[in-house]
Amino acid sequence: METKIKKGLLLFIVVILLLPLLQHSFSIIVSGPLNGLYAEVPDTAFSLKKWLNGSYQHQKELYLNEKTGFRPDMVRLNNQIDFSLFDKCHSGWTILGRNHVLFQWPYIRAYYGSDFVGYDTVFEKTRKLNAIQDTLGRLGKSLIVVYAPSKADFYPEYFPDD
């Protein structure tokens, strides 16, 4: 009985380890792409010069890492586990506020006025915008400027302490 359990566990582990290879080779399940900013890694062609200086291995490793089966799903799972268990965000601009509210730090800086460009710059941009609005008005067109508030404007009580 014990050997059947051990063989079953071994078979299960082997199947789990082979699933990414099968997904890469046959695309069994269609995964949604990752959203966000990342560079597509191109494949590399083999040459003796690249092999000897090590650049072929490095480039191929990067390519195969990006093309591993179920990679988008595993990245999403890893990010969710990190956020749920360790309160860790993987986005460079995202910070965690009180009550697990996510903010992007440029909006918090704007809320506090840390990125204020100065009255002269604001006046100049407003003057140029007014000139464009006048020109469009003479052509029978309207220009409406809309300020879209951010989450930071509505929920400053959830900002992190630091």
Side-chain angles (χ1 to χ4, degrees):
M1 183 68 177
E2 260 187 46
T3 57
K4 285 186 179 182
I5 293 175
K6 288 180 182 178
K7 287 180 182 179
L9 284 175
L10 179 64
L11 181 65
F12 177 74
I13 290 172
V14 169
V15 168
I16 291 295
L17 290 175
L18 288 177
L19 275 177
L21 177 66
L22 293 172
Q23 174 67 14
H24 174 75
S25 301
F26 302 112
S27 295
I28 302 166
I29 299 171
V30 178
S31 292
L34 288 174
N35 296 325
L37 178 65
Y38 65 94
E40 188 76 24
V41 179
D43 197 2
T44 184
F46 178 80
S47 73
L48 189 58
K49 182 180 177 184
K50 287 182 182 179
W51 179 266
L52 293 176
N53 69 17
S55 63
Y56 173 79
Q57 293 90 330
H58 178 70
Q59 186 65 30
K60 196 66 168 180
E61 177 185 357
L62 293 174
Y63 173 75
L64 289 175
N65 184 36
E66 288 292 319
K67 299 300 179 187
T68 298
F70 298 114
R71 183 177 186 279
D73 300 318
M74 292 297 123
V75 168
R76 287 186 195 97
L77 179 64
N78 179 58
N79 291 348
Q80 185 64 53
I81 289 171
D82 280 352
F83 181 73
S84 297
L85 298 180
F86 307 112
D87 293 336
K88 181 179 178 186
C89 301
H90 287 278
S91 173
W93 285 11
T94 305
I95 57 175
L96 185 63
R98 293 188 198 113
N99 294 345
H100 282 85
V101 177
L102 295 174
F103 293 99
Q104 290 185 331
W105 64 264
Y107 296 111
I108 294 177
R109 290 188 61 205
Y111 178 83
Y112 285 121
S114 303
D115 61 351
F116 183 61
V117 292
Y119 290 108
D120 294 336
T121 304
V122 171
F123 179 76
E124 184 62 26
K125 289 184 187 257
T126 306
R127 187 189 63 75
K128 288 178 181 178
L129 190 59
N130 194 22
I132 292 170
Q133 192 174 30
D134 291 343
T135 304
L136 288 173
R138 284 192 296 271
L139 297 172
K141 311 259 189 237
S142 297
L143 174 66
I144 300 172
V145 178
V146 178
Y147 170 70
S150 69
K151 189 193 305 186
D153 294 321
F154 286 102
Y155 300 113
E157 65 271 14
Y158 295 122
F159 287 174
D161 292 330
D162 56 349

